[in-house]
Structure formats: structure tokens, C-alpha cells
């Protein structure tokens, strides 16, 4: 494995385009030629295809849209409905083909351009999606679904103020569109969101049975957060930063092989070691750790992740005190799994827990550092740090990176962080564009909890060869992965780093893509990340990868298990 610095085209190009387009729409500059007056889309009786879509039956909706198109060919509205049904079924290739065929004959159709942007977003082609959105805005700045896809792109880029403005516009233009309403709900203050969520779940809203069940199970957690809003997990110590050693976690049954790297964490003064994982969310511990700390359940939940055994059971527990290095936090929560261990560890700590800090993982020096983020111009002095300790808490947060005013903020790039690049954030996922063999660019998760970098079979076949079943076991919070193959050499280029990978593990990432809402083509795992110093600003969606062969110790033992 060879690592070296690589100087890519800066990702800030897309960020700059997004900011300029956002400012232009906010100031009425799109389109040119005076003020824009839009009309609210009137409510209408749903067609049979729309009813099937709203009932969560995307397959039936697809059939009905195809039947309608057979009677009225080249209808842009029907084609857009077909494309959305196909995307709900995860038939991304079919959706791509359907919209491309119709755009060839009607390139200026705003409904088709909007559907095309939705397809490009799902494919992970975010820059192309944003370009398509702005092309369509010049033709029709009143299309509500254009504002929906624009809001999704802004959120992925940590542009939370712009996201809220665009989804509010989309909802004002078409309050009956359930896809718009569902996204709009996520931007509401918590108490208002709970009431609206109850109304939303009581209607036909386009959710499939799995999504509806998950939303219904999540509602009690929203109510619990609202009722405990005065008990935010807050820093109780005088220090605003900390530095502590990363501890090697040895593989089960092997005293020499390092499975992962962890931190010493005290729950109610009871110490344990948790694996540090950029691919996980929240603070997840096993039942034994919870029992030692005297933690009691306050709510049930399900935990998901890589693996083919489905979600795992667990509960949320209140923790009086959590101490990490010199920082102590009070009135926190932790997620407790029903399993006796978590990937052969006592637990894991997702780095999104520290999203109010600048997080640095210095693997060559075996150090973990938390420091204050540079203040934004709108911030008040002395903002206290918090811990977002509950798994999934990031996705549940309505406001998104609020400033001192309590309002959501757009990404801020401090002069001190000019060497950072933007990453896409979906929930807790840190997603970076990665160029493969100099041929194509795809989206990969940054996952320090994954033993090895990996790639999806479809993406691997585009750039190299894939071979048979691999004699390894890959497992995550969702259990073991059913089918694992290997691929030949792939050159990764991401965030200024270039790495040649031989014999990559290859397995299906469809579940991850569906969860993230964009195509995820693999993981950047420990085999490359442990050679780096990684700094993450979750607030602004910024990351920096540093590789210096003279910095620290780059001699690492191979892990015994392949955990994701």
C-alpha cells in the first residue's frame, strides 16, 4: 500500500456555486427581469398512480404510471411520477433511462429537468444535480420540487440556513406534496415537529411499511427529547479542549493483533474503552457496561448498520456523568445494545458525538484531540460544548448547526481552515468524493471502524476486475455480510490523498445508499485512514487529511477481523 499527497481540484467550487445560487434566489435575482410572483399549487384529487405512491406501494405506482404513459406518451408530469416511483423502488438505472429518453425530445421541460436532478442526486452526482436545478430555475422559478431538491443539496453541503429557506418555499408553493412536507417537517422546532409528525403519520404519505414503522417508533424519542429540552448533555468542566491517547483494542483471542483504536471513557466514574468510529453515530455500549454504571432504560430503539441480519434491539439510558479526558459532560444519554458485545468490543463512540468540537484523530501519534471550532461571525462568545450521545441524534436534529441566535447557519469556512475540503454529510455519515483509477468519481464513507477500504461490486466492475467469494467474514452492527468478493487494484484519490489498493473487499452497499439517499460506492477504512491525521469539523462539513511519513509511527499491526 502506497500513500502520498495528491493535489485535486478543490471541492469548494461546488460550495461556491451553491452559495452564489442561494444568495441569488434569496435576493430575487433568479430569473432576471424583475420580481417573481408564484402561485400556490392547488390541491387536487390524486390519480390512481399517485394514490399508490402515497400508499407506499411504489411498484404498483410504477405500473399505473406506465399504463397512463401508454395512453398519453411523452407526458412530462406522468414521466416525472414514473421516475420518482422507480427511485422509491431503488431502480436507479431504470429511472435514469426513463428521464433521459424524454429529455432528449423535450430538453427545456422543467418537470423533466426536476426529475433528472432527483436522479442525479440519488446517483451521487451532486454537482450535476445542482447545475440541473439552476438550469431549471432559469426557466421556471416557481416549481416547488426544484426547491425540494435544492434544499436536499444544501443540507448535504451543511448549508442549513439555505436548506430551511428553500424547503419553506417549496412547502409554501405546494403544501400537499408529501415528499416536500416530509422534508419540511425536519426543519421545524421540536415541539411543532411532533404535532406535525403525528398528523403526517395519520395520512397517506408515501412511506413504505418499513419507513412508516421506523417513523412511528421514532416519535416517542422526539417526545422524550422535547420533554427533556432543559437537560441537554453539556460540558461541566472548566476546560474547553482535551488531548488523550488512543488505546489499541486487541482482536478477540489474539493478544498481538489490533482490531481497532479506542478511548477511555468513564460512565458515572466507571471506566471502559470504546472504539472510535467515524462510521458510527452516537455512544453505543453493551449491557455489561451499562449495568456497571447503573444505567436504566428510558426508551427502546433499533440499531442498524452494515450486515444482512437487519436492525438490532437496544434501549436509551440516562447517564449522570460522562468523562472523556479532561472534559466532563452531565445529563447525557447512551444507547445500550441488547447484545453482549459490539463487534467484540465494549462499545463504540461515533465521532459525531463531538460535533460541537474540532475533532482530530492523529493515528501516527496515537492521539485523539478535541478543540474549539473557530467562532462564526454571528456566534456569541463562550458557546459551551455539548455531546450528541444518542445514536441517530444527528438525523433527528431539526435546526442543523444553529448559531448563537438558535437559527440554522450556512457553512462557514474560517481563514484558519483554508486547507480543509468540504464533505457531504448525511446524518452522521462523512461522505467524500473519491476518484477511482483516474476514470470516474464516486462517493465513499470515511469509516475508521472499517478494518479495510472496500468498494461495491458495480463500481469495482467499472474500473477493475472482480473475483469470486472472498474467504473473509465482514460484519457490522447489522450482523455478517452475506456475500463478499475481492477486486483487483484500484487507485483512490480523495481529499489530497492518493492510495493504491490491491485486493479490495467488495460487497453490496445498496442498504447504505438507500439510507444516505445518495449512491455510496464503498468505504475508506482503517488500512488507509490509520496512516493519516484526520481533522473533522462536523458543524461546517469540513475535513482535512494529512499524510506525513516522518510524523509519528506508521507501523501498525493488521487487525484480525473485518468490522464495518
Amino acid at each position: 500500500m502506497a500513500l502520498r499527497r495528491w493535489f485535486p481540484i478543490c471541492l469548494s467550487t461546488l460550495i461556491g456555486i451553491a452559495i452564489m445560487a442561494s444568495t441569488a434566489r434569496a435576493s430575487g435575482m433568479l430569473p432576471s427581469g424583475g420580481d417573481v410572483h408564484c402561485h400556490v399549487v392547488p390541491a387536487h384529487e390524486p390519480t390512481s398512480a399517485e394514490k399508490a405512491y402515497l400508499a407506499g406501494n411504489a411498484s404498483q405506482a410504477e405500473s399505473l404510471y406506465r399504463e397512463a404513459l401508454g395512453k398519453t406518451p411523452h407526458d412530462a408530469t406522468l414521466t416525472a411520477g414514473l421516475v420518482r416511483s422507480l427511485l422509491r423502488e431503488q431502480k436507479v438505472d431504470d429511472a435514469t433511462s426513463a428521464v433521459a429518453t424524454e429529455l432528449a425530445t423535450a430538453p427545456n421541460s422543467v418537470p423533466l429537468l426536476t426529475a433528472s436532478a432527483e436522479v442525479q442526486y440519488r446517483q451521487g452526482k451532486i454537482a450535476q444535480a445542482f447545475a440541473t436545478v439552476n438550469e431549471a430555475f432559469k426557466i421556471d422559478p416557481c416549481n416547488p420540487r426544484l426547491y425540494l431538491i435544492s434544499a436536499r443539496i444544501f443540507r448535504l453541503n451543511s448549508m442549513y440556513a439555505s436548506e430551511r429557506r428553500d424547503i419553506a418555499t417549496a412547502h409554501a408553493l405546494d403544501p400537499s406534496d408529501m415528499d416536500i412536507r416530509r422534508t419540511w417537517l425536519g426543519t421545524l422546532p421540536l415541539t411543532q415537529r411532533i404535532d406535525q409528525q403525528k398528523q403526517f403519520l395519520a395520512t397517506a404519505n408515501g412511506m413504505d411499511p418499513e419507513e412508516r414503522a421506523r417513523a412511528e417508533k421514532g416519535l416517542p424519542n422526539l417526545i422524550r427529547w422535547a420533554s427533556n429540552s432543559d437537560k441537554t448533555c453539556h460540558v461541566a468542566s472548566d476546560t474547553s479542549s482535551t488531548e488523550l491517547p488512543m488505546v489499541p483494542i486487541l482482536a478477540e483471542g489474539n493478544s498481538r493483533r489490533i482490531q481497532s483504536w479506542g478511548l477511555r471513557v468513564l460512565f458515572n466514574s466507571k471506566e471502559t474503552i470504546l472504539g472510535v468510529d467515524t462510521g458510527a453515530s452516537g455512544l453505543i455500549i453493551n449491557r455489561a457496561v451499562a449495568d456497571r454504571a447503573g444505567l436504566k432504560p428510558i426508551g427502546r430503539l433499533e440499531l442498524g448498520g452494515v450486515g444482512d441480519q437487519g436492525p438490532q434491539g437496544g434501549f436509551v439510558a440516562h447517564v449522570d456523568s460522562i468523562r472523556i479526558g479532561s472534559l466532563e459532560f452531565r445529563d447525557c444519554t447512551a444507547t445500550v445494545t441488547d447484545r453482549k458485545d459490539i463487534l467484540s468490543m465494549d462499545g463504540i463512540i461515533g465521532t459525531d458525538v463531538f460535533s460541537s468540537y474540532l475533532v482530530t484523530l492523529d493515528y501516527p501519534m496515537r492521539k485523539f484531540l478535541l478543540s474549539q471550532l473557530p467562532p462564526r461571525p454571528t456566534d456569541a462568545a463562550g458557546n459551551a460544548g455539548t455531546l450528541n450521545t444518542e445514536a441517530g441524534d444527528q438525523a433527528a436534529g431539526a435546526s442543523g448547526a444553529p448559531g448563537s441566535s438558535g437559527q440554522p447557519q450556512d457553512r462557514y469556512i474560517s481563514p484558519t481552515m483554508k486547507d480543509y475540503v468540504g464533505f457531504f454529510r448525511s446524518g452522521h455519515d462523512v461522505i467524500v468524493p473519491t476518484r477511482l483509477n483516474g476514470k470516474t468519481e464516486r462517493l465513499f464513507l470515511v469509516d475508521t471502524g472499517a478494518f479495510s477500504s472496500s468498494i461495491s461490486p458495480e463500481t469495482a466492475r467499472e474500473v477493475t476486475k472482480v473475483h469470486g467469494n472472498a474467504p473473509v467474514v465482514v460484519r457490522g452492527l447489522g450482523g455478517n455480510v452475506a456475500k463478499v468478493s475481492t477486486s483487483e487494484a484500484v487507485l483512490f484519490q480523495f481529499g489530497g490523498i492518493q492510495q493504491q489498493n490491491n485486493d479490495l473487499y467488495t460487497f453490496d452497499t445498496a442498504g447504505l445508499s438507500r439510507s444516505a439517499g445518495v449512491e455510496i460506492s464503498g468505504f475508506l477504512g482503517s488500512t488507509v485512514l490509520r496512516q493519516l491525521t484526520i481533522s473533522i469539523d462536523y458543524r461546517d462539513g469540513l475535513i482535512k487529511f494529512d499524510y506525513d511519513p516522518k510524523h509519528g509511527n506508521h507501523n501498525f499491526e493488521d487487525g484480525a477481523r473485518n468490522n464495518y
Side-chain angles (χ1 to χ4, degrees), residues 181-363:
R181 187 177 175 192
R182 186 177 178 182
T183 304
W184 171 75
L185 285 173
T187 66
L188 297 177
L190 196 53
T191 52
Q192 186 181 353
R193 181 182 176 187
I194 290 168
D195 292 336
Q196 290 288 337
Q197 184 89 329
K198 290 177 180 178
Q199 296 176 33
F200 184 74
L201 290 172
T203 62
N205 53 40
M207 287 183 171
D208 62 33
E210 181 182 336
E211 290 173 320
R212 177 177 284 276
R214 188 163 57 246
E216 289 173 346
K217 289 179 180 178
L219 189 56
N221 287 332
L222 294 181
I223 295 171
R224 175 170 52 80
W225 289 329
S227 64
N228 291 282
S229 59
D230 59 334
K231 295 183 178 180
T232 304
C233 184
H234 60 279
V235 66
S237 50
D238 294 332
T239 57
S240 58
S241 62
T242 192
E243 176 183 316
L244 60 160
M246 286 198 285
V247 181
I249 299 175
L250 302 178
E252 187 178 26
N254 191 316
S255 61
R256 297 186 59 188
R257 294 190 178 183
I258 298 172
Q259 172 180 327
S260 185
W261 291 87
L263 300 176
R264 288 189 171 89
V265 180
L266 279 75
F267 295 89
N268 295 341
S269 301
K270 304 296 182 182
E271 183 180 281
T272 191
I273 296 175
L274 305 182
V276 179
D277 194 343
T278 59
S281 179
L283 215 166
I284 309 172
I285 57 177
N286 65 24
R287 185 67 70 92
V289 173
D291 289 344
R292 285 202 304 270
L295 308 186
K296 303 299 181 184
I298 58 175
R300 294 289 302 177
L301 49 66
E302 290 184 341
L303 298 170
V306 169
D308 296 319
Q309 278 72 57
Q312 306 298 314
F315 62 85
V316 180
H318 179 265
V319 188
D320 291 330
S321 168
I322 297 176
R323 182 174 287 277
I324 303 169
S326 60
L327 293 173
E328 182 183 11
F329 301 87
R330 291 191 175 275
D331 286 327
C332 303
T333 57
T335 299
V336 183
T337 178
D338 290 338
R339 289 184 169 186
K340 70 174 184 178
D341 65 43
I342 303 169
L343 305 174
S344 301
M345 296 182 286
D346 286 344
I348 53 180
I349 184 166
T351 46
D352 69 333
V353 159
F354 307 106
S355 58
S356 63
Y357 294 88
L358 179 62
V359 182
T360 300
L361 298 96
D362 188 343
Y363 283 98

Side-chain angles (χ1 to χ4, degrees), residues 82-104:
L82 171 63
V83 168
R84 288 173 195 125
S85 300
L86 291 168
L87 289 177
R88 293 287 292 169
E89 295 179 88
Q90 307 304 310
K91 295 180 179 179
V92 181
D93 290 343
D94 289 350
T96 304
S97 176
V99 74
T101 299
E102 296 302 315
L103 270 174

Side-chain angles (χ1 to χ4, degrees), residues 382-453:
N383 284 345
T386 60
L387 282 188
N388 300 305
T389 53
E390 194 166 327
D393 198 14
Q394 299 302 316
S399 57
S404 58
S405 65
Q407 296 300 311
Q409 304 289 307
D410 281 340
R411 169 182 278 156
Y412 169 64
I413 305 176
S414 165
T416 62
M417 304 182 81
K418 58 183 177 60
D419 295 332
Y420 284 64
V421 296
F423 67 83
F424 298 133
R425 185 179 181 191
S426 177
H428 69 276
D429 290 333
V430 176
I431 306 170
V432 297
T434 302
R435 194 156 184 83
L436 308 171
N437 281 350
K439 296 180 179 179
T440 187
E441 187 174 272
R442 293 291 184 267
L443 301 184
F444 278 67
L445 294 182
V446 177
D447 189 354
T448 59
F451 163 71
S452 171
S453 296

